Amino acid sequence: NAGVMQNPRHLVRRRGQEARLRCSPMKGHSHVYWYRQLPEEGLKFMVYLQKENIIDESGMPKERFSAEFPKEGPSILRIQQVVRGDSAAYFCASSPPGQGAGSQPQHFGDGTRLSIL
Amino acid sequence: AQSVTQLDSHVSVSEGTPVLLRCNYSSSYSPSLFWYVQHPNKGLQLLLKYTSAATLVKGINGFEAEFKKSETSFHLTKPSAHMSDAAEYFCVVSAPAGNKLTFGGGTRVLVKP
């Protein structure tokens, strides 16, 4: 059973370009989460999605960032007009349906390292 | 609201000696607590979780953690460190029925031969 798959593993963009990060959850998992990790810091929650629905986007910057989890295909985290401060590791996690992280722990992918030149 | 404080940013131990990673949490409800490990350039792997059952929780790779409500602590221990334990460790809290994880700042463990 494949784990959470993220691609690309590394992404380099110039300032002003768009970055698209993809996440395929584990088989049977319908909940997807995105986290950002800045250098030397812990992970910070960005957004929680279920199929075709954004459940909690309280950690998403108000501008330039968007996320989707369509009925078919992977979840996409999109960053428009990237800036140097967007350089970070972006992690996706998934979990099966259920009552909260306590009963359904999140499984993490290996992350996408985004570098902005 | 919830928060997590990991008291040591770096811990250095000799192989074969005990490891103690300290974590204190703040939560307005009975939380779920987790320890995750992150090896370089990899994702996070769940070591163990506490969800209001037994206060002493055993995890993978010989790790265990004890939930102490009176001290709002959830320290991680291992009796004997192995070289493969060198990694970064995160203490994490969530609301019992919530899905948003709140991470501590991490503790980087160095294991000396």
Side-chain angles (χ1 to χ4, degrees), chain B residues 16-57:
Chain B
T17 64
V19 181
L20 169 65
L21 305 183
R22 298 182 293 167
C23 171
N24 286 99
Y25 70 91
S26 172
S27 178
S28 51
Y29 34 68
S30 293
S32 295
L33 291 157
F34 311 82
W35 277 97
Y36 281 86
V37 61
Q38 184 182 31
H39 288 92
N41 297 315
K42 300 290 285 183
L44 282 78
Q45 181 183 21
L46 179 66
L47 283 178
L48 49 81
K49 66 174 182 176
Y50 166 78
T51 56
S52 76
T55 56
L56 184 61
V57 182

Side-chain angles (χ1 to χ4, degrees), chain B residues 2-106:
Chain B
Q2 55 201 21
S3 65
V4 180
T5 301
Q6 291 183 242
L7 298 165
D8 307 291
S9 59
H10 293 82
V11 166
S12 180
V13 298
S14 297
E15 190 176 20
T17 64
V19 181
L20 169 65
L21 305 183
R22 298 182 293 167
C23 171
N24 286 99
Y25 70 91
S26 172
S27 178
S28 51
Y29 34 68
S30 293
S32 295
L33 291 157
F34 311 82
W35 277 97
Y36 281 86
V37 61
Q38 184 182 31
H39 288 92
N41 297 315
K42 300 290 285 183
L44 282 78
Q45 181 183 21
L46 179 66
L47 283 178
L48 49 81
K49 66 174 182 176
Y50 166 78
T51 56
S52 76
T55 56
L56 184 61
V57 182
K58 292 190 183 298
I60 62 171
N61 301 337
F63 284 95
E64 63 181 35
E66 185 171 9
F67 174 72
K68 291 186 177 180
K69 186 175 181 178
S70 60
E71 299 177 9
T72 60
S73 69
F74 190 56
H75 301 334
L76 181 72
T77 60
K78 181 172 181 176
S80 176
H82 191 270
M83 295 299 292
S84 61
D85 295 326
E88 186 144 24
Y89 293 78
F90 293 98
C91 183
V92 182
V93 65
S94 78
N99 287 289
K100 180 165 45 177
L101 300 182
T102 299
F103 284 75

Side-chain angles (χ1 to χ4, degrees), chain A residues 9 31 33 35 37 40-43 45 48 56 58 91 95 98-106 108-110 113, chain B residues 10 32 34 36 38 40-44 46 49 51 88 90 94-106 108:
Chain A
R9 290 294 309 277
H31 296 197
Y33 315 82
Y35 295 84
Q37 184 179 33
E40 305 300 319
E41 294 187 14
L43 280 70
F45 169 82
Y48 162 37
D56 180 351
S58 57
F91 288 93
S95 70
Q99 285 295 317
S103 59
Q104 303 292 354
Q106 296 174 21
F108 284 80
D110 285 347
R113 271 81 184 164
Chain B
H10 293 82
S32 295
F34 311 82
Y36 281 86
Q38 184 182 31
N41 297 315
K42 300 290 285 183
L44 282 78
L46 179 66
K49 66 174 182 176
T51 56
E88 186 144 24
F90 293 98
S94 78
N99 287 289
K100 180 165 45 177
L101 300 182
T102 299
F103 284 75
R108 192 174 298 276

Side-chain angles (χ1 to χ4, degrees), chain A residues 83-104:
Chain A
V83 301
R84 287 255 170 88
D86 297 333
S87 295
Y90 292 81
F91 288 93
C92 173
S94 72
S95 70
Q99 285 295 317
S103 59
Q104 303 292 354

